[in-house]
């Protein structure tokens, strides 16, 4: 796959296509044994190379294998839609577009929840007192006699903030 990409870069499309065909033969031979397949990102990049070389049918094959491994990647579904569209498979392209769109909506909602959690955490941080401040001369100032109480309060608030962050993360993990 790397050789095909190199050939494509130096504008030797025919050589690149020959290397792609050899790579496809290897992938077809070993498609059931994931241990023998190139790493996932390499195969995803290879699918893009195939599309760049107008080898849509090969790209369909590669993307289908990738989606079988990870059907929660919107970029893969979009790549599949592109491969199917180039191959003239409109129905399959539409299905891929729908899957990509649904995943983007799902991720957008997850990010919205994470942004809300960040806002809550930032608001909670306003309650955490500064425990140790640096003086202008570079000497640390521990805030005088009341520092111990402030440290204990900061630890209590920070633990509460940390527990809330873990709850948000645990809730998101359960949703997956």
């Amino acid at each position: 796959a790397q050789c095909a990409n190199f050939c494509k870069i130096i504008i030797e499309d025919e050589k690149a296509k020959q290397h792609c065909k050899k790579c496809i033969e290897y992938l077809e031979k070993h498609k059931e044994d994931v241990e023998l397949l190139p790493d996932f990102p390499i195969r995803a990049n290879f699918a893009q190379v195939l599309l760049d070389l107008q080898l849509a049918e090969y790209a369909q094959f590669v993307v289908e294998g990738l989606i079988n491994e990870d059907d929660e990647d919107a970029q893969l579904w979009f790549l599949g839609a592109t491969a199917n569209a180039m191959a003239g498979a409109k129905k399959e392209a539409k299905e891929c577009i729908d899957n990509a769109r649904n995943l983007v909506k799902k991720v957008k909602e997850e990010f919205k929840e994470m942004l809300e959690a960040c806002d809550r955490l930032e608001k909670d941080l306003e309650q955490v007192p500064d425990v140790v401040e640096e003086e202008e001369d570079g000497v640390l100032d521990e805030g005088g006699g009341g520092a111990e109480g402030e440290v204990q309060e900061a630890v209590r608030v920070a633990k509460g903030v940390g527990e809330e962050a873990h709850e948000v993360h645990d809730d998101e993990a359960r949703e997956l």
Side-chain angles (χ1 to χ4, degrees):
Q2 297 296 341
C3 191
N5 192 30
F6 177 74
C7 289
K8 180 185 74 77
I9 290 170
I10 60 172
I11 312 173
E12 292 189 38
D13 286 356
E14 286 310 310
K15 276 188 178 180
K17 288 179 180 180
Q18 290 171 3
H19 286 290
C20 286
K21 290 176 183 176
K22 289 178 184 177
C23 292
I24 289 295
E25 289 171 8
Y26 180 87
L27 293 176
E28 286 175 337
K29 182 178 178 181
H30 300 290
K31 67 182 175 187
E32 300 300 323
D33 192 355
V34 179
E35 302 271 329
L36 296 175
L37 294 176
D39 290 338
F40 193 93
I42 291 172
R43 287 180 284 141
N45 184 52
F46 180 52
Q48 184 62 56
V49 169
L50 292 167
L51 289 173
D52 292 345
L53 292 170
Q54 304 297 312
L55 297 172
E57 291 82 12
Y58 290 153
Q60 285 173 300
F61 169 76
V62 174
V63 172
E64 182 180 318
L66 293 167
I67 287 174
N68 285 337
E69 288 180 48
D70 181 6
D71 64 354
E72 293 288 315
D73 186 329
Q75 289 178 327
L76 284 180
W77 284 107
F78 184 79
L79 201 58
T82 305
N84 284 308
M86 284 178 70
K90 288 176 71 172
K91 179 183 175 191
E92 290 82 359
K94 176 73 171 109
E95 289 174 12
C96 288
I97 290 169
D98 290 343
N99 284 322
R101 192 173 276 136
N102 289 335
L103 285 170
V104 168
K105 287 177 184 175
K106 179 180 172 184
V107 169
K108 184 178 176 182
E109 187 61 34
E110 289 173 2
F111 279 120
K112 180 181 173 189
E113 291 173 11
M114 180 57 82
L115 286 172
E116 290 170 356
C118 287
D119 289 343
R120 287 191 306 271
L121 178 60
E122 188 174 40
K123 186 176 180 181
D124 289 344
L125 281 176
E126 292 172 7
Q127 299 173 16
V128 177
D130 291 330
V131 177
V132 179
E133 297 177 4
E134 190 171 325
E135 290 281 322
E136 288 180 23
D137 60 2
V139 178
L140 296 179
D141 178 14
E142 296 184 18
E148 272 186 45
E150 289 180 10
V151 169
Q152 290 172 349
E153 177 64 14
V155 169
R156 186 191 65 72
V157 171
K159 282 183 179 178
V161 168
E163 288 171 4
E164 180 180 329
H166 282 288
E167 289 171 9
V168 169
H169 178 70
D170 291 345
D171 290 343
E172 289 172 355
R174 278 192 289 277
E175 289 175 9
L176 297 177

